[in-house]
Every structure is written in structure tokens, then in C-alpha cells.
Amino acid sequence: MSIPQTHKVILIEENSQSLDVLKYVDVPAPQIESGNDVIIKNKYAGVNFIEAYFRSGLYPSEKPYTLGREAAGVVAAVGKDVTRFKVGDNVVYLAGKTFAQYTKIPDSYITVTKLAADISEEGLITEAGAQLQGLTALSLVEEGYTVKKGDKILVWAAAGGVGKLLTQLVKRKGGIVLAVASSDAKLAEAKALGADYLINSKTDDVVAKVKEYTDGKGVEASYDSIGKDTFDTTFDSLRRKGTFVSFGNASGAVPPLSIQKLATKNIKIIRTTLFNYVTEQEEYDHYGNELKELIASGELKIDVSKVYPLEDYKEATAALEGRKTTGKLVLSIPQ
């Protein structure tokens, strides 16, 4: 399989909240330069909030910077020393620069999983949309806060990609889900996945509802992907000795806080990122294999709500950042 000299990508050359800095352009395609290089021809790539953080500058990056953090595709070329993969292998992986027709990774890269040779297009779409959010949700319920039977858990953005997975996984562990979303339609989707209590963030007093549903005690833990706008609400919703799990910045970064605030209820707080949970091969294998089994068995439903062409990424992220979506968005990469 020959690699062209140029390929299509989505990149930024400067930071801005504006979507206008997103460019769909031709750039030099990656080429085999060492014996350990692996080049993947991407077919589908998952859309995530993290791209908005790189675009805005909340997360630093070199410039120009090609966006994307997960994809599914086929191995297009390998260096002479590569034994782990061969041309034609179907793979799904976590890496940077996946909003592109081709992505190069080293053979030693750990966050790559081989897929079946006969996997369907639908299967590739599901895998591309499952990796970042699926591994995030699994690590959150195991390590961010270890959910126990009977725990009452507050799940923000419960109809979003991670929120839907958290709802299913908390229920699987015997927890009780208090789902928060911005519309009754979104809450209906969370309920269909097992959410026990529904809270509309637009019309309800979230803290009051939490207290109502927990006999005034608050929740054992809250999984908060919203950030700045929900920090105080999450804190006030926790019970004594509760755990605040912060894993996103959809509304902006949480401002600095005094550690003394935690002493008011002996609160534990953790700020997580997936890549610090899958740094070692055995860690990635643990969560990756569990995700693969849960998807295959049907225990975990991956809701890919829409597939956009790569060139329409601006439209996709506008919908995501505007909180107009449910489930997962995926990009189709031109072949």
C-alpha cells in the first residue's frame, strides 16, 4: 500500500475559541523513516472535547497542530523492524493527529489494539467512537472513584458520550445514578440506560434535587465533566466524606481553590486524565480488553449518534460544544 506525498488533515495554526482557526488542508503525509515506524490509514476518528481545549489554548500544543486523539483504520506501511503489525491489519488506537488520512506511530506504541480481519464498517465506526470515552469511563468507575453497590453517584452530562457510558457502568456495579442533563429529551435517554433519578440542569435546582433523592445526605461521588460552571454545585451535592471526580472542562477550567474548602465535609477531590491511567502496557491491556469484552457482549452500548465527513469537523464540534448532541460523534476520513 503506497503512501501519497500529501494528505488531508484538520489543523490549527493559532489558538482561539473561534472555530474559524480550524483548517481543512493538504499537508505532507507521514512516510516511513525508521525501522520501527507504523503508518495507519485512518477510516474513522472519534470527536472529543479535548480538541476544543487544544484549539483554545487551554492545553498547549506546537503549531501547526493536527487535531484528533483516537481512530480506527488499517495499517498501510511498516518499517523493516516491525513485527507486531503487518500491512492490512485492522486496528483501533489512541494517539495524536488522527483527524488525518494517515497517522504515524512507533511500533512500541502501547495504545493500539488489533481488530478482526472481517470487521464491518459499523464495527469500525463503533470502535473509533468507543476508545477515548470508553476507556475514560472504565478508569473513572474503577480508579477515579471505585463504585460500590448502593452508592449514589451524580453523573453530569448524562446523555453525552462519557455520561452514557458512566451511567451503564455505575449501574453494572450496583450503584444508583442521579443523572443530570440540560433537557428532558436527554434525560429520557439516560433513563433508558438505567438512570434512577433525573435532574434537568435548566429547570431544576440541582443541589435541592440531590438532597431530595439522598435523604438530605448528598452523593458518595460526582463525575463532573463540565468544570467551571458546575464546581460549586458538585461540591454542595456531595455527602460528608464524598469524592469529587473532575475530568473535563466543557465550561472552562476550574479556578484555583483553597484546600481548606475540602475540610468542610472531609471531601476528597481528584482531577483525572485517561492517559495517566494507561501509561503502562498492562494498564492499557486491562482497560482495553475489558472494553472490548463489554462491547462484544452487548453489556456496554456505544451510541454513535452521527458520522460527519472529516471536512465537516467544524460543524461537528460546534454541535458538541453547543451541547446539542447526545452520544458520540465520529468523523469519516476520505479514502
Side-chain angles (χ1 to χ4, degrees):
M1 192 181 298
S2 61
I3 308 297
Q5 291 302 302
T6 63
H7 68 149
K8 296 286 189 183
V9 304
I10 297 287
L11 59 73
I12 56 171
E13 296 175 326
E14 59 182 308
N15 294 123
S16 175
Q17 295 283 358
S18 170
L19 301 182
D20 292 339
V21 297
L22 295 168
K23 309 291 186 185
Y24 179 60
V25 294
D26 288 289
V27 300
Q31 304 293 325
I32 296 296
E33 296 174 301
S34 81
N36 294 312
D37 286 345
V38 176
I39 296 177
I40 299 167
K41 184 178 184 181
N42 298 316
K43 292 188 175 181
Y44 299 98
V47 177
N48 298 285
F49 251 105
I50 193 170
E51 279 81 55
Y53 306 155
F54 282 112
R55 188 186 78 242
S56 70
L58 180 63
Y59 290 178
S61 66
E62 74 274 8
K63 303 293 185 301
Y65 182 72
T66 299
L67 298 173
R69 305 296 287 181
E70 64 181 340
V74 60
V75 174
V78 298
K80 62 181 179 61
D81 299 323
V82 173
T83 58
R84 189 174 162 209
F85 303 103
K86 66 180 185 301
V87 172
D89 283 345
N90 291 318
V91 294
V92 63
Y93 67 104
L94 296 176
K97 303 182 180 181
T98 62
F99 289 178
Q101 289 179 287
Y102 295 89
T103 303
K104 181 165 70 173
I105 60 173
D107 181 35
S108 59
Y109 211 79
I110 68 168
T111 52
V112 187
T113 300
K114 285 187 185 180
L115 300 172
D118 60 349
I119 189 169
S120 65
E121 287 298 303
E122 182 181 355
L124 282 172
I125 292 170
T126 297
E127 290 288 349
Q131 292 304 295
L132 191 63
Q133 294 182 341
L135 297 175
T136 294
L138 284 169
S139 61
L140 286 175
V141 300
E142 185 167 323
E143 296 190 69
Y145 173 78
T146 306
V147 177
K148 304 178 293 299
K149 185 176 181 180
D151 281 348
K152 292 183 172 69
I153 308 295
L154 189 64
V155 177
W156 288 91
V162 178
K164 283 187 169 183
L165 300 178
L166 283 172
T167 295
Q168 295 175 74
L169 293 172
V170 170
K171 293 300 298 179
R172 183 171 177 266
K173 286 178 170 287
I176 297 167
V177 175
L178 285 70
V180 185
S182 60
S183 72
D184 289 341
K186 288 182 176 182
L187 288 171
E189 294 193 34
K191 183 176 177 61
L193 292 172
D196 300 276
Y197 299 104
L198 309 177
I199 303 173
N200 187 318
S201 60
K202 296 291 187 185
T203 59
D204 292 328
D205 180 326
V206 175
V207 176
K209 285 293 184 182
V210 168
K211 294 296 177 67
E212 176 186 339
Y213 298 144
T214 61
D215 299 321
K217 294 179 179 178
V219 293
E220 273 78 15
S222 175
Y223 294 114
D224 189 336
S225 60
I226 309 301
K228 180 180 67 175
D229 289 353
T230 54
F231 180 87
D232 289 334
T233 303
T234 282
F235 192 91
D236 292 342
S237 298
L238 291 168
R239 66 180 298 156
R240 182 176 60 87
K241 298 191 290 185
T243 299
F244 189 136
V245 184
S246 172
F247 69 98
N249 311 287
S251 66
V254 174
L257 73 150
S258 168
I259 196 170
Q260 190 61 31
K261 182 177 175 67
L262 307 181
T264 58
K265 291 190 287 186
N266 284 14
I267 297 299
K268 294 182 285 292
I269 187 166
I270 182 171
R271 180 66 171 91
T272 71
T273 180
L274 170 62
F275 291 93
N276 283 332
Y277 284 137
V278 294
T279 300
E280 303 295 334
Q281 185 70 62
E282 60 267 29
E283 293 172 329
Y284 176 73
D285 290 345
H286 168 74
Y287 288 119
N289 289 335
E290 185 177 6
L291 179 62
K292 191 174 182 179
E293 290 168 8
L294 287 172
I295 293 173
S297 68
E299 286 188 77
L300 192 63
K301 296 177 176 61
I302 308 297
D303 174 23
V304 176
S305 58
K306 189 167 182 178
V307 179
Y308 291 82
L310 178 64
E311 63 187 286
D312 291 341
Y313 168 66
K314 188 182 294 188
E315 179 184 342
T317 196
L320 179 66
E321 294 173 48
R323 302 184 191 180
K324 298 175 181 177
T325 66
T326 62
K328 180 74 176 190
L329 304 181
V330 168
L331 300 176
S332 174
I333 312 298
Q335 300 297 299

